Amino acid sequence: MKKVTGLVLLGFAAANLIFAQANQKSEAAKLSIDEAVDYALQHSRTLKSNDIDLEIKERASKYSWNVFLPTIQASGTAMRATEISPQYAQYGMTDYPDEESRWDMVGSVSASWNFTPAYIAQIKIAKAQYEAGKISWEQSQRETITNIKKAYYGLLLQQESLKIQKTTLENARQRMIQAQTNFKNGSIPEIQYLQTQVNYENTKPNVDSAEQALVQQFDLFAFLIGMPVGTKIELTSSIDPVYVDVEADELLAKYADNDLQIQSLEKNKLAAKLGITASDMATWIPTLALNYGWKPMYTNGSSMGLAAGNAKAFGFAGDIGADEKWYDSGNLTLTLAWNLTNMLPWSSNRQKVKDYKQQLAQLELTIATLKENQKVQVRKAVDTLHQAKEQIDVMSRNVTLAQRAYDMTARSYRNGTTELLDLRDAETSLNQAKLGHINQKFQYISALMDLENTLNVNLTK
């Protein structure tokens, strides 16, 4: 994760500068494979979404202790009497002496704090989920980077294929021009000239289709790394594999535990075990509840008695509640509570424990499956590397031989000693050798990236 962050910081300025300059000059944005990756790390919508998911889990872990915060509530109530209260009615009054006498006010402040050991397990669950989230985030980063690199090399492969097709088209055009000249000079019959013309015209649609397909792939690549679709991109890297000497058994023995997917599942196992602990604690250990409440009340007589001034106004003797308009009351309670329903085997709490146990069983099966699949993928990738390396060497020699054969056939054709069909066969063989050579390079690079992604290791450094 730290390495990826470093790449982001180092590549951000360079990638944006390249893109900005390209837009200002209306030129293609030149991107090496590392610059494409750096740009994607800053602008990929998929990666930004993953960042948000990680932030949510990080915040949940960071503030998981808030289960220990007390609950504090404050309220205020104003009450207006619409009917004469008994306190006034007993003195023969039929209405309140003034509007103020109709109103009473009550305030309330309460604080409560609960504690159960299950809270501690819940905090640990939040932290385990955050750790699993970090692993998933890193896995997503690696997979995205791998996909971008594969797409980059795939474009290079497609470009090389188009280049070969364009060369073939140009050769066909040159042959057609030469045949036209020879036909006009009377050195060849018209049928030979028509054959070269048909060959040229038949080649043009294939080249046009390949060129359009490449444009579409560039649009898809721009979308993948977060550039506006339609941006012209020039690839500056080349398909040059870095060869490694690896064996499947050695790699598995050394790096099998690095698998990010397995690590994430292990964290999920820990969260499930903590879930069982939290549910058991909530079931069998009582909850301690502390509560304190304070209730101040102000009355003008509607609910607590006559005010002194009103009593005197009606000729009653004595000072009734003259200094008792404010009243305070409060209490503190300590409670130990068991939720007996949670103890029932068919309660939602005990059913949740069963769910956690089944999740653990599923996770164990998934991890076992992934470990076996890891062996398959590693062996497959290593075999592909060995085979591709051998094929690259073979194809390299084939290209040299096919080029010599084509050059000799082309000279013979120009001298009139070789048929056009023989020349086309030689050209097809050369093109196949070139494409096979570069395709094996792509296969080697792709297999190496898959191997590194599976084992979460960089084998080229």
Side-chain angles (χ1 to χ4, degrees), residues 48-84:
K48 287 182 179 180
S49 177
N50 293 336
D51 290 341
I52 294 174
D53 290 338
L54 183 61
E55 288 175 6
I56 292 173
K57 290 182 173 64
E58 181 182 14
R59 189 169 60 252
S61 173
K62 184 177 180 180
Y63 297 105
S64 58
W65 56 267
N66 59 19
V67 293
F68 293 114
L69 289 176
T71 301
I72 301 175
Q73 294 180 327
S75 65
T77 303
M79 299 177 291
R80 182 183 183 278
T82 57
E83 301 292 338
I84 191 69

XYZ file of all heavy atoms in Angstrom, residues 48-84:
293
model
N -11.309 5.587 -7.217
C -11.880 6.607 -6.330
C -13.018 6.022 -5.504
O -13.164 6.334 -4.316
C -12.379 7.796 -7.154
C -11.260 8.666 -7.709
C -11.823 9.852 -8.482
C -10.703 10.742 -9.010
N -11.224 11.909 -9.765
N -13.835 5.178 -6.125
C -14.917 4.525 -5.390
C -14.349 3.616 -4.296
O -14.870 3.576 -3.174
C -15.786 3.713 -6.352
O -16.799 3.018 -5.665
N -13.272 2.918 -4.612
C -12.628 2.067 -3.605
C -12.063 2.905 -2.460
O -12.084 2.478 -1.299
C -11.512 1.244 -4.252
C -12.047 0.233 -5.242
O -13.198 -0.179 -5.157
N -11.224 -0.173 -6.187
N -11.551 4.083 -2.786
C -11.037 4.978 -1.737
C -12.150 5.377 -0.775
O -11.939 5.448 0.445
C -10.428 6.230 -2.366
C -9.121 5.929 -3.104
O -8.525 4.870 -2.830
O -8.717 6.745 -3.944
N -13.328 5.640 -1.311
C -14.464 6.027 -0.455
C -14.860 4.875 0.453
O -15.117 5.065 1.654
C -15.656 6.478 -1.329
C -15.302 7.773 -2.081
C -16.899 6.685 -0.476
C -16.356 8.206 -3.077
N -14.901 3.661 -0.098
C -15.224 2.489 0.728
C -14.232 2.344 1.874
O -14.620 2.044 3.016
C -15.213 1.216 -0.129
C -16.382 1.161 -1.094
O -17.392 1.846 -0.826
O -16.293 0.446 -2.113
N -12.951 2.555 1.587
C -11.932 2.419 2.631
C -12.077 3.514 3.677
O -11.907 3.266 4.877
C -10.542 2.463 2.002
C -9.374 2.250 2.970
C -9.460 0.875 3.620
C -8.042 2.417 2.255
N -12.393 4.726 3.246
C -12.584 5.827 4.190
C -13.737 5.545 5.142
O -13.676 5.877 6.333
C -12.827 7.126 3.428
C -11.590 7.675 2.735
C -11.907 8.901 1.895
O -13.066 9.369 1.950
O -11.001 9.391 1.189
N -14.805 4.932 4.622
C -15.952 4.600 5.474
C -15.531 3.610 6.559
O -15.858 3.765 7.748
C -17.096 4.030 4.627
C -17.677 5.115 3.707
C -18.196 3.450 5.510
C -18.691 4.598 2.712
N -14.789 2.568 6.153
C -14.338 1.565 7.124
C -13.326 2.151 8.107
O -13.318 1.812 9.293
C -13.722 0.362 6.392
C -14.739 -0.491 5.640
C -14.074 -1.679 4.999
C -15.101 -2.646 4.393
N -15.854 -2.045 3.295
N -12.477 3.054 7.603
C -11.491 3.676 8.485
C -12.170 4.540 9.543
O -11.796 4.517 10.719
C -10.527 4.536 7.657
C -9.452 5.215 8.491
C -8.547 6.094 7.660
O -8.909 6.390 6.502
O -7.469 6.488 8.154
N -13.177 5.295 9.133
C -13.893 6.136 10.089
C -14.642 5.288 11.106
O -14.676 5.605 12.303
C -14.859 7.059 9.338
C -15.484 8.127 10.223
C -16.214 9.172 9.417
N -17.286 8.607 8.613
C -17.237 8.487 7.291
N -16.160 8.864 6.627
N -18.254 7.972 6.626
N -15.230 4.182 10.652
C -15.936 3.289 11.578
C -14.982 2.694 12.599
O -15.328 2.536 13.779
C -16.635 2.173 10.799
N -13.752 2.382 12.173
C -12.759 1.836 13.099
C -12.229 2.911 14.043
O -12.081 2.680 15.245
C -11.604 1.215 12.307
O -10.553 0.822 13.157
N -11.958 4.084 13.496
C -11.355 5.160 14.288
C -12.263 5.613 15.419
O -11.792 5.936 16.519
C -11.034 6.329 13.355
C -10.314 7.483 14.023
C -9.982 8.560 13.006
C -9.252 9.727 13.664
N -8.933 10.788 12.658
N -13.559 5.639 15.152
C -14.501 6.125 16.157
C -15.372 5.016 16.742
O -16.470 5.277 17.254
C -15.392 7.220 15.554
C -14.615 8.431 15.114
C -14.373 8.668 13.762
C -14.108 9.331 16.036
C -13.644 9.775 13.344
C -13.382 10.445 15.636
C -13.149 10.654 14.290
O -12.430 11.757 13.895
N -14.891 3.786 16.663
C -15.672 2.668 17.213
C -15.829 2.759 18.729
O -16.740 2.162 19.304
C -15.014 1.334 16.835
O -13.675 1.279 17.300
N -14.946 3.521 19.383
C -15.038 3.693 20.833
C -16.266 4.504 21.242
O -16.598 4.576 22.445
C -13.791 4.409 21.358
C -13.534 5.729 20.691
C -12.749 5.967 19.616
C -14.111 6.998 21.047
N -12.785 7.292 19.262
C -13.605 7.956 20.133
C -14.981 7.424 22.033
C -13.950 9.290 20.186
C -15.335 8.766 22.103
C -14.820 9.683 21.173
N -16.966 5.122 20.278
C -18.094 5.987 20.638
C -19.271 5.224 21.253
O -20.240 5.836 21.709
C -18.576 6.819 19.434
C -19.016 5.953 18.266
O -19.309 4.763 18.411
N -19.067 6.560 17.089
N -19.194 3.874 21.286
C -20.242 3.118 21.985
C -20.206 3.407 23.482
O -21.187 3.155 24.200
C -20.086 1.601 21.741
C -20.355 1.274 20.289
C -18.709 1.105 22.170
N -19.077 3.937 23.975
C -18.957 4.253 25.406
C -19.443 5.654 25.740
O -19.463 6.040 26.911
C -17.499 4.104 25.864
C -17.002 2.694 25.836
C -15.999 2.315 24.968
C -17.547 1.727 26.673
C -15.539 1.014 24.942
C -17.093 0.426 26.648
C -16.085 0.065 25.782
N -19.827 6.441 24.737
C -20.325 7.782 25.014
C -21.690 7.711 25.705
O -22.545 6.905 25.326
C -20.461 8.573 23.714
C -19.158 9.007 23.035
C -19.469 9.682 21.707
C -18.361 9.945 23.930
N -21.911 8.552 26.715
C -23.235 8.572 27.349
C -24.267 9.225 26.431
O -23.927 10.013 25.537
C -23.000 9.421 28.600
C -21.869 10.315 28.242
C -20.977 9.511 27.331
N -25.497 8.883 26.682
C -26.602 9.512 25.961
C -27.143 10.658 26.804
O -27.635 10.444 27.918
C -27.723 8.502 25.676
O -27.196 7.425 24.896
C -28.856 9.165 24.913
N -27.039 11.870 26.305
C -27.482 13.061 27.042
C -28.619 13.705 26.265
O -28.491 13.973 25.074
C -26.328 14.059 27.231
C -25.181 13.395 28.003
C -26.809 15.311 27.962
C -23.951 14.277 28.142
N -29.711 13.946 26.971
C -30.883 14.549 26.339
C -31.363 15.735 27.160
O -31.307 15.707 28.407
C -32.017 13.527 26.205
C -31.695 12.382 25.251
C -32.851 11.407 25.144
O -33.572 11.189 26.106
N -33.011 10.816 23.968
N -31.803 16.746 26.483
C -32.387 17.925 27.136
C -33.693 18.258 26.443
O -33.800 18.169 25.221
C -31.432 19.114 27.066
N -34.681 18.625 27.249
C -35.985 18.965 26.676
C -36.623 20.081 27.493
O -36.292 20.288 28.668
C -36.908 17.735 26.656
O -37.211 17.306 27.976
N -37.501 20.807 26.865
C -38.261 21.855 27.535
C -39.703 21.831 27.071
O -39.962 21.648 25.880
N -40.626 21.981 28.008
C -42.045 21.914 27.680
C -42.765 23.115 28.284
O -42.570 23.446 29.462
C -42.677 20.626 28.234
O -41.967 19.506 27.721
C -44.148 20.525 27.841
N -43.586 23.770 27.480
C -44.450 24.857 27.949
C -45.887 24.373 27.848
O -46.316 23.891 26.796
C -44.243 26.113 27.115
N -46.633 24.476 28.963
C -48.019 23.991 29.007
C -48.963 25.155 29.305
O -48.757 25.923 30.245
C -48.157 22.919 30.096
C -47.283 21.696 29.879
S -47.413 20.506 31.249
C -46.614 21.429 32.571
N -50.015 25.259 28.490
C -51.032 26.290 28.698
C -52.348 25.603 29.012
O -52.834 24.776 28.246
C -51.192 27.170 27.461
C -52.217 28.294 27.636
C -52.378 29.090 26.342
N -53.279 30.207 26.496
C -54.612 30.131 26.448
N -55.190 28.951 26.229
N -55.361 31.212 26.623
N -52.905 25.941 30.134
C -54.177 25.350 30.556
C -55.325 25.993 29.788
O -55.385 27.220 29.642
C -54.378 25.540 32.049
N -56.237 25.163 29.291
C -57.417 25.684 28.585
C -58.667 25.653 29.461
O -59.644 26.337 29.172
C -57.682 24.852 27.329
O -57.839 23.480 27.709
C -56.517 24.969 26.355
N -58.646 24.844 30.508
C -59.753 24.782 31.463
C -59.242 25.188 32.847
O -58.064 25.032 33.153
C -60.342 23.367 31.522
C -60.865 22.841 30.195
C -62.096 23.608 29.728
O -62.766 24.216 30.584
O -62.369 23.602 28.509
N -60.132 25.675 33.690
C -59.766 26.088 35.041
C -59.263 24.885 35.829
O -59.810 23.791 35.748
C -60.970 26.752 35.774
C -60.496 27.409 37.064
C -62.078 25.749 36.001
C -59.638 28.621 36.851
